[in-house]
Amino acid sequence: GEPRWTEECHQSLIGICDILSKRLELRVARPELPFYLYIDASTDGLSAILCQEHEGRHKAIYFVGRSLSSRELGLSLAETLFLGAAWAMKKLRTYTEFGFTYIVVPDQASITVFRDREAHSSIRARLMDLLCYQCKIITGKSSWTLGSEILAES
């Protein structure tokens, strides 16, 4: 059937407009606090938001994003997520070189690729790029330290 514009649709649009019209406040990084790096990947780009907890909520410090190169366009979603994590950690090295624990939080829809024990060598190679950073990957209700899972299987 034809799409219908309902009251629920209207309220969703109002909510989106409210969010988009709010002033974005970036916070100053505090090196004594842990950083949270939210990664997202799509078929044509990467993005990341570096946050810290302030007043009980995650507040943005820095946003980064880029398009995939022509040779990266054929990567699987898992490869693209790991590429994005390594790229963002390197791009934000001014923050990631503090030596504090960095927590990489991937997009929930793609989280199963971070736990895939059958990951092929190109994904493992991308994970190795992350080993030079102190980071812990957390997902919803669980977490794992990057080096221990990968090196145990190498």
Side-chain angles (χ1 to χ4, degrees):
E2 288 191 33
R4 292 188 181 162
W5 188 259
T6 64
E7 182 60 28
E8 183 180 0
C9 295
H10 181 74
Q11 291 305 316
S12 293
L13 178 63
I14 297 293
I16 291 170
C17 290
D18 286 345
I19 290 169
L20 292 175
S21 64
K22 287 184 180 177
R23 185 172 171 210
L24 177 64
E25 293 182 30
L26 295 178
R27 299 296 175 139
V28 174
R30 295 177 53 196
E32 71 276 10
L33 297 176
F35 289 92
Y36 294 82
L37 184 63
Y38 290 85
I39 305 293
D40 197 12
S42 68
T43 56
D44 60 355
L46 306 169
S47 62
I49 304 171
L50 185 67
C51 301
Q52 283 185 313
E53 193 169 319
H54 292 274
E55 300 168 1
R57 297 187 66 188
H58 286 194
K59 302 290 185 171
I61 294 169
Y62 210 104
F63 293 90
V64 292
R66 73 170 178 86
S67 298
L68 295 177
S69 69
S70 57
R71 82 178 158 79
E72 294 168 340
L73 287 172
L75 296 176
S76 70
L77 181 57
E79 290 172 302
T80 307
L81 277 170
F82 293 123
L83 170 69
W87 166 77
M89 291 291 280
K90 184 176 181 182
K91 178 83 173 167
L92 299 169
R93 67 183 167 270
T94 302
Y95 303 99
T96 59
E97 288 177 347
F98 283 126
F100 290 87
T101 301
Y102 293 86
I103 302 173
V104 179
V105 185
D107 163 60
Q108 288 301 313
S110 309
I111 200 54
T112 55
V113 300
F114 277 92
R115 298 233 173 105
D116 183 1
R117 293 193 175 275
E118 302 300 318
H120 49 78
S121 61
S122 67
I123 294 173
R124 289 194 187 282
R126 293 181 194 289
L127 281 170
M128 298 304 262
D129 292 340
L130 287 171
L131 289 178
C132 62
Y133 301 100
Q134 284 186 309
C135 61
K136 180 182 251 187
I137 296 177
I138 64 171
T139 67
K141 298 179 182 170
S142 63
S143 67
W144 49 283
T145 302
L146 186 55
S148 60
E149 291 261 335
I150 302 309
L151 295 177
E153 297 176 10
S154 296

